C-alpha cells in the first residue's frame, strides 16, 4: 500500500465560519479560521494542506479536549493513463484483441503479468505481449479511473461532547504573499492644485496588490495587507504537528534556525526583493505636513504594523490576482535633485575636484506628499502622464503619513552642478592621537556652482554625505548626524552628516553655495 502525505490544509466543507488572513511581503501569512463542523462522533478530521510554522499553530474551542496528527487510510481516484491500466480493470470480462500483425484472439481476460496478458478460450490459454496489441474491445463497461488506497496525514480534533462544534485555528504559514505595485498619473492641467497644499499640483496615485497564492484555497476571506517588518524567528522551521519528519531532522533544523525575514545587511538597498520585502525609507528631512482628514482607507495599525483590508476575497491555490487597494489624489511638485559625491577622507592628500572631472547628474523628479492617515509601503511605481504616456519606473520607498517621497523622472542636462572642495589649512596644533595613530585637523572650504539653462526657474535639492564637523553655509542647509562606526569615523573624530540644500535657481542664472567644514585625516 502506497503512503502519500496529502498536504491540503483544512480543506473542509464548512457548516459556517469565517477566515482572516494577514499577508506579509516576505511570503509569510498568518491565517485565522473560525470553523463550525459536524463532530457527532466526538472527533473531527481536518485534512492538512499548508504547513504551519513551528510555534505558531493553535486551536481554540469551548469543547475542545485535544488534537493529534494521525495517519488515515483513504481511497483516491486517479485517471487511467496507459493501456495496461485499462486492461487491469477489465480482468474477468470477455475480450477481442487485434494484433499489429493481423492476428485476432477472443475469449476471457484472466490475468495480466508484467507486460503480458492471458486470454482463455476453447483452444486454451494465449499469452500476448501488450506492446503487440493494435486495438481491443471488451464486454465490460469502460472505466477510466482507478481506485487505490493511500495513507494521509490528518489533524484529528477530539471534543468533550458529540455535537456540532465551533473552534478557531491560528497558524503562520508560507506560500501566500503580496507585492505592492503603484501607478501615478500626472495631470496635464497645471491649474489643478491641492486644497491642502495650494502651491502643489495634483497627481492620482493607485496601489494594487499582486497576491500570489501557493498555499491553500481562499474562500470569502478577509485579507489584511501588512506593512512592517515583524520578527518571525523560526520562519524556516515547520511545526512537527502537521509535517511528517523524523525527530532528528526537526532538532537539526531547530538548532540551525535563523530569522530569515530580515535580509542580510550586506544586500544593497536597490535590490528589488530586498527593498520590497523590507521597509526602506526615503531620506526626507522636510517637516511633517498636515494630514487630509477626508483621506481614509479600510485598515488600521497594531504595534508599529499597519495594514490595508479587503473583504470577501476568493483565490484558489496556484492562482494570482491583482487587487485595487488604495486610490487617492496626491499633492506633488516638480523639483530637481542631485546627489553629490561624499568627501574622501581616506586620501593622504585631499582633493575635492569631483565636479570638474566627472559631471554630477541632476534629475528632474517629483516630490509627493502623503497626506493620508496611512503610510505608503515600499513597492515598484510607474509614472505616466494623463494621456497614458509612460515617463518613469522607479521604486517608491516607505513613506510615513505626513511625509514626502521623491521619484526620479528624467536626467536634466540643462542644469549643471560643479562641486569643489578646497583644502584651506592643516592645523597640526589640534592633532590628536588615537590608538597610536596621529590625525591632523584639516579645514575645508566647499563650493557649489549651479547653472540653470532652462527657460523657467527650478527648485533644486542638493544632497551630500560629509564626514567631519560642519561649520557654516551661506545658504540654508539641513543636516542630520548619522551613526558612524569606528572605521569610517576614525574612532569618533569625524561625524557622518547627511546634508541637504534646497534652493531656487532662476532661468538662465547661476547660483553659488559656499560652506565650511573640517575633518581629521590620518597622517
Amino acid at each position: 500500500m502506497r503512503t502519500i502525505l496529502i498536504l491540503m490544509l483544512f480543506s473542509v466543507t464548512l457548516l459556517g465560519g469565517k477566515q482572516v488572513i494577514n499577508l506579509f511581503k516576505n511570503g509569510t501569512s498568518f491565517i485565522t479560521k473560525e470553523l463550525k463542523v459536524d463532530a457527532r462522533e466526538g472527533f473531527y478530521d481536518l485534512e492538512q494542506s499548508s504547513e504551519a510554522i513551528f510555534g505558531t499553530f493553535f486551536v481554540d474551542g469551548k469543547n475542545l479536549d485535544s488534537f493529534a496528527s494521525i495517519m488515515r487510510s483513504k481511497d483516491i481516484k486517479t485517471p487511467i493513463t496507459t493501456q495496461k491500466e485499462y486492461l487491469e480493470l477489465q480482468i474477468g470480462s470477455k475480450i477481442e484483441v487485434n494484433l499489429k500483425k493481423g492476428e485476432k484472439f477472443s475469449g476471457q481476460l484472466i490475468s495480466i503479468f508484467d507486460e503480458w496478458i492471458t486470454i482463455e478460450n476453447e483452444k486454451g490459454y494465449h499469452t500476448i505481449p501488450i506492446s503487440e496489441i493494435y486495438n481491443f474491445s471488451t464486454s465490460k463497461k469502460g472505466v477510466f479511473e482507478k481506485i487505490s488506497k493511500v495513507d494521509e496525514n490528518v489533524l484529528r480534533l477530539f471534543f468533550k461532547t458529540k455535537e456540532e462544534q465551533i473552534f478557531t485555528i491560528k497558524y503562520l504559514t508560507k506560500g501566500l504573499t503580496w507585492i505592492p505595485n503603484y501607478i501615478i498619473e500626472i495631470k496635464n492641467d497645471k491649474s489643478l492644485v491641492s486644497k491642502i497644499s495650494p502651491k502643489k499640483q495634483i497627481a492620482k496615485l493607485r496601489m494594487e496588490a499582486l497576491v500570489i497564492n501557493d498555499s491553500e484555497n481562499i474562500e470569502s476571506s478577509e485579507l489584511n495587507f501588512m506593512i512592517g517588518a515583524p520578527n518571525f524567528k523560526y520562519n524556516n522551521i515547520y511545526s512537527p504537528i502537521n509535517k511528517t519528519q523524523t525527530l532528528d531532522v526537526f532538532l537539526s533544523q531547530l538548532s540551525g534556525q535563523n530569522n530569515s525575514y530580515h535580509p542580510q545587511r550586506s544586500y544593497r538597498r536597490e535590490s528589488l526583493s530586498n527593498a520590497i520585502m523590507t521597509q526602506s525609507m526615503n531620506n526626507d528631512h522636510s517637516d511633517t505636513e498636515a494630514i487630509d482628514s477626508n483621506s481614509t482607507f479600510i485598515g488600521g495599525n497594531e504595534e508599529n504594523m499597519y495594514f490595508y483590508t479587503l473583504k470577501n476575497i476568493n483565490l484558489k491555490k496556484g492562482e494570482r490576482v491583482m487587487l485595487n487597494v488604495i486610490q487617492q489624489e496626491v499633492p506633488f511638485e516638480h523639483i530637481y535633485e542631485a546627489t553629490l559625491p561624499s568627501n574622501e577622507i581616506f586620501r593622504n592628500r585631499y582633493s575635492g575636484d569631483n565636479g570638474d572631472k566627472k559631471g554630477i547628474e541632476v534629475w528632474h523628479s517629483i516630490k509627493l506628499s502623503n497626506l493620508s492617515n496611512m503610510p505608503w509601503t515600499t513597492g515598484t511605481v510607474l509614472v505616466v502622464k494623463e494621456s497614458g504616456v509612460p515617463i518613469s519606473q522607479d521604486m517608491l520607498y516607505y513613506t510615513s503619513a505626513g511625509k514626502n517621497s521623491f521619484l526620479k523622472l528624467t536626467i536634466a542636462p540643462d542644469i549643471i552642478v560643479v562641486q569643489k572642495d578646497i583644502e584651506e589649512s592643516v592645523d597640526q596644533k589640534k592633532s590628536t592621537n588615537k590608538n597610536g595613530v596621529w590625525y591632523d585637523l584639516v579645514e575645508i572650504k566647499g563650493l557649489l556652482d549651479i547653472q540653470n539653462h532652462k527657460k523657467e526657474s527650478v527648485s533644486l535639492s542638493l544632497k551630500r554625505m560629509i564626514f567631519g564637523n560642519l561649520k557654516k553655509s551661506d545658504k540654508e542647509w539641513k543636516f542630520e548626524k548619522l551613526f558612524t562606526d569606528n572605521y569610517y569615523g576614525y574612532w569618533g573624530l569625524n561625524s557622518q552628516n547627511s546634508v541637504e540644500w534646497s534652493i531656487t535657481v532662476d532661468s538662465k542664472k547661476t547660483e553659488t553655495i559656499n560652506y565650511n567644514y573640517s575633518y581629521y585625516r590620518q597622517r
Side-chain angles (χ1 to χ4, degrees):
M1 183 170 60
R2 292 186 298 148
T3 299
I4 299 178
L5 178 62
I6 305 297
L7 297 176
M8 295 199 45
L9 187 58
F10 317 135
S11 54
V12 299
T13 303
L14 303 183
L15 300 178
K18 61 181 181 180
Q19 178 172 271
V20 178
I21 304 177
N22 299 303
L23 291 88
F24 298 91
K25 295 193 295 179
N26 71 327
T28 305
S29 58
F30 187 73
I31 301 178
T32 302
K33 294 181 178 181
E34 183 183 88
L35 308 179
K36 184 179 181 180
V37 299
D38 184 355
R40 284 175 288 184
E41 295 183 6
F43 65 88
Y44 193 88
D45 289 345
L46 287 174
E47 296 178 351
Q48 304 180 52
S49 65
S50 307
E51 296 176 285
I53 301 300
F54 172 62
T56 69
F57 186 83
F58 296 94
V59 184
D60 299 310
K62 181 180 179 181
N63 295 318
L64 180 66
D65 188 25
S66 62
F67 59 90
S69 178
I70 66 170
M71 299 301 293
R72 183 182 67 178
S73 179
K74 180 181 179 181
D75 291 338
I76 63 169
K77 293 181 178 181
T78 56
I80 292 173
T81 58
T82 67
Q83 192 178 56
K84 180 183 178 181
E85 289 179 337
Y86 185 88
L87 288 168
E88 287 175 338
L89 298 176
Q90 302 296 320
I91 293 177
S93 64
K94 299 293 183 180
I95 187 170
E96 292 184 2
V97 176
N98 297 309
L99 301 186
K100 295 176 181 178
K101 294 180 180 181
E103 294 181 87
K104 295 183 179 180
F105 292 90
S106 61
Q108 183 179 19
L109 178 63
I110 61 173
S111 69
I112 297 177
F113 177 75
D114 200 8
E115 296 298 323
W116 299 75
I117 66 171
T118 301
I119 297 176
E120 181 185 10
N121 57 23
E122 67 277 2
K123 294 182 180 181
Y125 295 93
H126 306 274
T127 301
I128 303 169
I130 295 176
S131 60
E132 293 298 319
I133 297 176
Y134 178 67
N135 58 34
F136 63 89
S137 61
T138 64
S139 60
K140 188 176 180 181
K141 183 178 180 181
V143 179
F144 300 96
E145 289 182 329
K146 62 179 180 179
I147 300 174
S148 55
K149 293 281 188 181
V150 299
D151 286 341
E152 64 174 353
N153 183 263
V154 298
L155 194 70
R156 176 163 292 180
L157 292 87
F158 298 94
F159 297 94
K160 299 174 183 177
T161 57
K162 297 181 178 182
E163 58 184 342
E164 286 187 351
Q165 301 291 342
I166 297 176
F167 57 94
T168 301
I169 300 175
K170 302 176 182 178
Y171 54 97
L172 193 67
T173 188
K174 302 181 78 171
L176 183 58
T177 191
W178 77 288
I179 301 173
N181 299 131
Y182 295 88
I183 182 170
I184 294 175
E185 182 182 285
I186 296 178
K187 302 289 186 180
N188 294 326
D189 188 353
K190 296 184 178 180
S191 64
L192 295 175
V193 296
S194 169
K195 297 178 181 179
I196 304 297
S197 303
K199 294 183 180 180
K200 298 182 180 181
Q201 294 177 244
I202 289 293
K204 184 179 178 181
L205 178 144
R206 186 171 83 246
M207 189 263 277
E208 294 187 349
L210 169 60
V211 181
I212 300 174
N213 182 13
D214 290 333
S215 179
E216 60 182 271
N217 293 340
I218 298 174
E219 300 177 357
S220 302
S221 299
E222 177 180 309
L223 301 187
N224 293 322
F225 300 95
M226 306 303 294
I227 303 173
N231 176 30
F232 296 145
K233 188 174 181 64
Y234 301 100
N235 196 37
N236 283 329
I237 303 177
Y238 291 108
S239 173
I241 193 66
N242 58 11
K243 182 176 175 65
T244 302
Q245 60 182 342
T246 65
L247 179 61
D248 288 343
V249 171
F250 171 68
L251 294 178
S252 176
Q253 291 179 339
L254 193 61
S255 62
Q257 61 78 30
N258 66 346
N259 183 357
S260 65
Y261 188 93
H262 299 93
Q264 296 180 7
R265 293 183 179 180
S266 61
Y267 288 0
R268 296 178 57 194
R269 168 178 169 171
E270 289 78 9
S271 166
L272 180 64
S273 60
N274 180 39
I276 291 178
M277 284 171 56
T278 58
Q279 300 302 333
S280 301
M281 295 186 65
N282 276 293
N283 188 18
D284 178 21
H285 296 154
S286 60
D287 296 331
T288 299
E289 301 196 26
I291 301 296
D292 184 357
S293 58
N294 294 319
S295 179
T296 58
F297 309 105
I298 300 177
N301 67 289
E302 295 287 348
E303 299 294 338
N304 299 317
M305 297 290 296
Y306 295 86
F307 57 90
Y308 299 106
T309 301
L310 293 180
K311 298 183 178 181
N312 298 320
I313 304 300
N314 297 287
L315 188 67
K316 292 183 179 180
K317 180 179 179 179
E319 293 182 343
R320 282 89 173 102
V321 67
M322 292 287 288
L323 299 172
N324 189 359
V325 180
I326 62 174
Q327 188 167 322
Q328 63 182 120
E329 290 189 338
V330 179
F332 80 97
E333 57 183 314
H334 291 276
I335 67 166
Y336 293 82
E337 58 179 344
T339 300
L340 310 174
S342 63
N343 58 326
E344 301 179 36
I345 66 174
F346 300 110
R347 292 184 176 183
N348 291 330
R349 299 184 62 84
Y350 192 90
S351 176
D353 54 2
N354 314 67
D356 292 333
K357 289 187 175 181
K358 182 179 180 182
I360 296 173
E361 286 185 344
V362 177
W363 282 87
H364 175 198
S365 303
I366 54 175
K367 179 181 178 182
L368 300 159
S369 300
N370 181 9
L371 303 188
S372 71
N373 60 344
M374 294 280 284
W376 297 333
T377 188
T378 302
T380 59
V381 59
L382 178 67
V383 183
V384 299
K385 294 287 287 185
E386 190 175 15
S387 60
V389 176
I391 302 173
S392 171
Q393 186 188 38
D394 205 343
M395 183 74 72
L396 178 67
Y397 291 103
Y398 181 91
T399 308
S400 301
K403 300 298 285 185
N404 298 310
S405 188
F406 299 84
L407 295 178
K408 293 178 178 178
L409 300 183
T410 58
I411 292 177
D414 293 336
I415 302 175
I416 300 173
V417 176
V418 176
Q419 170 184 292
K420 289 185 179 181
D421 280 348
I422 302 169
E423 185 176 307
E424 291 190 314
S425 66
V426 178
D427 190 349
Q428 293 189 347
K429 294 181 180 180
K430 295 184 178 180
S431 298
T432 186
N433 185 291
K434 286 282 186 178
N435 300 324
V437 180
W438 282 96
Y439 299 88
D440 298 326
L441 184 64
V442 182
E443 298 288 343
I444 298 294
K445 177 181 179 180
L447 173 65
L448 297 175
D449 185 82
I450 305 109
Q451 303 170 33
N452 177 18
H453 296 284
K454 298 181 73 65
K455 295 180 180 180
E456 65 274 355
S457 62
V458 296
S459 297
L460 179 63
S461 170
L462 298 170
K463 298 177 181 179
R464 190 185 189 196
M465 193 69 67
I466 298 178
F467 290 90
N469 301 296
L470 304 180
K471 291 192 172 181
K472 62 180 180 179
S473 172
D474 64 357
K475 297 290 193 299
E476 182 181 0
W477 57 0
K478 294 181 179 180
F479 55 87
E480 178 183 3
K481 286 190 176 183
L482 307 177
F483 170 78
T484 308
D485 62 26
N486 287 336
Y487 178 72
Y488 287 99
Y490 285 164
W491 288 269
L493 294 177
N494 295 316
S495 299
Q496 183 180 1
N497 305 279
S498 176
V499 182
E500 181 180 1
W501 293 271
S502 297
I503 65 170
T504 299
V505 185
D506 293 332
S507 173
K508 310 297 183 182
K509 298 294 183 180
T510 298
E511 290 284 346
T512 59
I513 298 175
N514 295 282
Y515 59 100
N516 297 88
Y517 67 92
S518 63
Y519 77 101
Y520 280 94
R521 184 176 65 200
Q522 182 179 343
R523 284 185 184 176

